[in-house]
Amino acid sequence: MSHDFSLARERMVKNQLIPRGIKDEMVLEAMGKIPRHLFIEEALAGEAYNDHPVPIGEKQTISQPYIVALMTEILELKGDENTLEIGTGSGYQTAILAELSSRVYTIERIKSLLVNARKLLSELGYSNILFKAFDGTLGWNEYAPFDAIMVTAGAPSLPEPLMDQLADNGRMIVPVGDRYSQELIKVIRKGNSLEQENLGGCRFVNLIGVHGWPD
Ligand code: SAM
């Protein structure tokens, strides 16, 4: 008999997200609904709802549930946004963004991860996601500007093309720091100026690309 993990999902929301201050009902609802265990290999499915990141192959990870919720809440999505995600990984965060946005554009540099994520998200019925295997530090100019941008890998500095592709009043969340630890930086565009806010420490795999770290 297959395990549906709905109790584990409910506990994740109640014990990991709400007590740490996640309040956005749309974020809590999406995280209570999306089958996170399907985004990691079957042997690790039992760890899917635990309070830590889990390996997804290619030396990459699916982020800890709380970090996914926090970064999503910071984007203040209402449902009508054009959202850009850099670092598709397993596609779990992409699914959350697709629940809360009108359209999601997601870029991943490792093709095998992108192919797996695209297959699963299509099986789960998502039809508002566009995928690209590329260096996401360059953004996706063709569909810019974006109301919201999320970078799910650690950058050495704010990637210039992503700031250029942010719409007026658009929000971007990016981990910025050295290769081993970063700070979550929120950027808001107000006309020609960019406001920045530091939302605290985090630890991500490296953002590798022209406006990221060298390979
Ligand atoms: N959000 C993902 C999830 O829910 O599974 C986890 C993302 S993982 C922490 C970071 C991802 O960023 C990795 O899959 C990595 O290959 C990707 N990445 C790193 N540099 C990138 C770049 N320049 N462009 C696109 N993807 C990149």
Side-chain angles (χ1 to χ4, degrees):
M1 203 181 81
S2 74
H3 195 324
D4 81 351
F5 291 100
S6 56
L7 190 59
R9 222 164 16 247
E10 209 177 292
R11 284 199 183 123
M12 172 187 81
V13 172
K14 276 201 184 129
N15 301 338
Q16 299 173 37
L17 309 186
I18 295 172
R20 288 186 182 131
I22 303 297
K23 288 190 184 67
D24 187 325
E25 284 298 332
M26 283 165 62
V27 173
L28 294 171
E29 200 181 305
M31 300 225 17
K33 168 178 150 184
I34 294 168
R36 183 171 158 96
H37 59 283
L38 299 182
F39 291 83
I40 58 182
E41 64 179 273
E42 227 171 322
L44 296 176
E47 290 186 41
Y49 299 95
N50 292 355
D51 195 15
H52 54 72
V54 181
I56 55 170
E58 305 282 355
K59 297 190 194 142
Q60 306 302 325
T61 53
I62 178 173
S63 302
Q64 174 194 14
Y66 169 64
I67 289 290
V68 172
L70 178 66
M71 290 178 77
T72 310
E73 186 169 74
I74 288 168
L75 290 181
E76 300 173 58
L77 300 170
K78 298 286 174 274
D80 57 356
E81 291 83 0
N82 264 349
T83 299
L84 175 68
E85 179 193 35
I86 310 304
T88 318
S90 69
Y92 174 69
Q93 174 76 74
T94 320
I96 306 274
L97 294 173
E99 291 281 337
L100 274 65
S101 309
S102 158
R103 206 157 250 284
V104 177
Y105 301 85
T106 187
I107 309 178
E108 169 59 55
R109 66 182 282 276
I110 301 176
K111 186 137 191 227
S112 60
L113 292 178
L114 189 88
V115 167
N116 290 342
R118 177 160 46 199
K119 180 167 179 287
L120 177 58
L121 289 165
S122 143
E123 284 165 6
L124 291 174
Y126 290 98
S127 55
N128 60 339
I129 307 171
L130 256 70
F131 298 83
K132 182 167 164 175
F134 202 61
D135 173 6
T137 67
L138 297 165
W140 201 337
N141 215 3
E142 200 182 339
Y143 296 105
F146 300 99
D147 307 301
I149 301 179
M150 182 184 291
V151 181
T152 67
S157 58
L158 291 167
E160 201 72 40
L162 301 185
M163 294 196 280
D164 293 344
Q165 293 176 22
L166 196 57
D168 195 18
N169 292 313
R171 289 85 58 200
M172 170 160 80
I173 184 76
V174 195
V176 179
D178 62 28
R179 279 186 180 268
Y180 308 101
S181 74
Q182 304 87 30
E183 311 276 331
L184 272 182
I185 306 294
K186 178 181 187 179
V187 179
I188 308 173
R189 174 176 289 285
K190 298 278 184 201
N192 284 333
S193 68
L194 295 164
E195 293 173 2
Q196 282 185 42
E197 199 181 333
N198 184 334
L199 294 157
C202 56
R203 195 187 158 99
F204 276 84
V205 296
N206 293 167
L207 181 74
I208 296 167
V210 174
H211 299 269
W213 294 99
D215 202 351

